Amino acid sequence: VQLQASGGGLVQAGGSLRLSCQASGRTFLSNGMAWFRQAPGKEREFVASISWSGGSTMYADSVKGRFTISRDNAKNTAYLQMNSLKPEDTAVYYCASSKKTGVDLGEYDYWGQGTQVTVSS
């Protein structure tokens, strides 16, 4: 599976962005997808994950109620809708794919290249 993340940018606090993760390879359809993020000087952290069917999702407490993960298997694409953005959401966002959908980045076999999200105050 190859993953290509896009959709990052500069936005004011309170604004919205939608990230996309385009996947190639048939295993996308049977894999869970996740988004992680890494701020400067910090470790990469879990943001959200979704099962292969889209029927199960998980979120980090810091983004619950503001971010929504989804997927369109017909388009081999996963999304992260980010609303009510805060300056502390500033980070490089990575999409990842795995048979599992846990919060541990070590569980994920495939990673995209990352897309920068910057939220100004």
Side-chain angles (χ1 to χ4, degrees):
V1 176
Q2 291 185 323
L3 305 175
Q4 179 75 35
S6 62
L10 173 63
V11 64
Q12 288 188 333
S16 298
L17 281 174
R18 188 176 81 155
L19 305 183
S20 298
C21 179
Q22 177 72 49
S24 61
R26 291 188 293 176
T27 53
F28 171 84
L29 298 178
S30 59
N31 275 15
M33 296 292 296
W35 290 94
F36 288 77
R37 67 186 181 186
Q38 187 166 19
K42 294 188 177 182
E43 294 185 350
R44 194 170 299 188
E45 64 176 5
F46 172 80
V47 175
S49 66
I50 187 167
S51 62
W52 69 271
S53 67
S56 177
T57 58
M58 290 198 299
Y59 296 93
D61 287 344
S62 59
V63 306
K64 277 181 183 176
R66 299 189 298 122
F67 290 11
T68 302
I69 189 170
S70 61
R71 65 189 294 163
D72 184 340
N73 287 345
K75 296 182 179 180
N76 274 17
T77 303
Y79 304 97
L80 185 68
Q81 178 67 44
M82 305 185 295
N83 299 329
S84 302
L85 282 161
K86 304 175 181 180
E88 51 263 44
D89 294 318
T90 295
V92 177
Y93 283 71
Y94 298 89
C95 58
S97 178
S98 171
K99 290 293 185 185
K100 302 178 181 180
T101 53
V103 303
D104 184 358
L105 61 86
E107 298 178 6
Y108 290 84
D109 305 305
Y110 307 99
W111 291 84
Q113 86 288 3
T115 184
Q116 177 70 47
V117 172
T118 302
V119 184
S120 62
S121 58

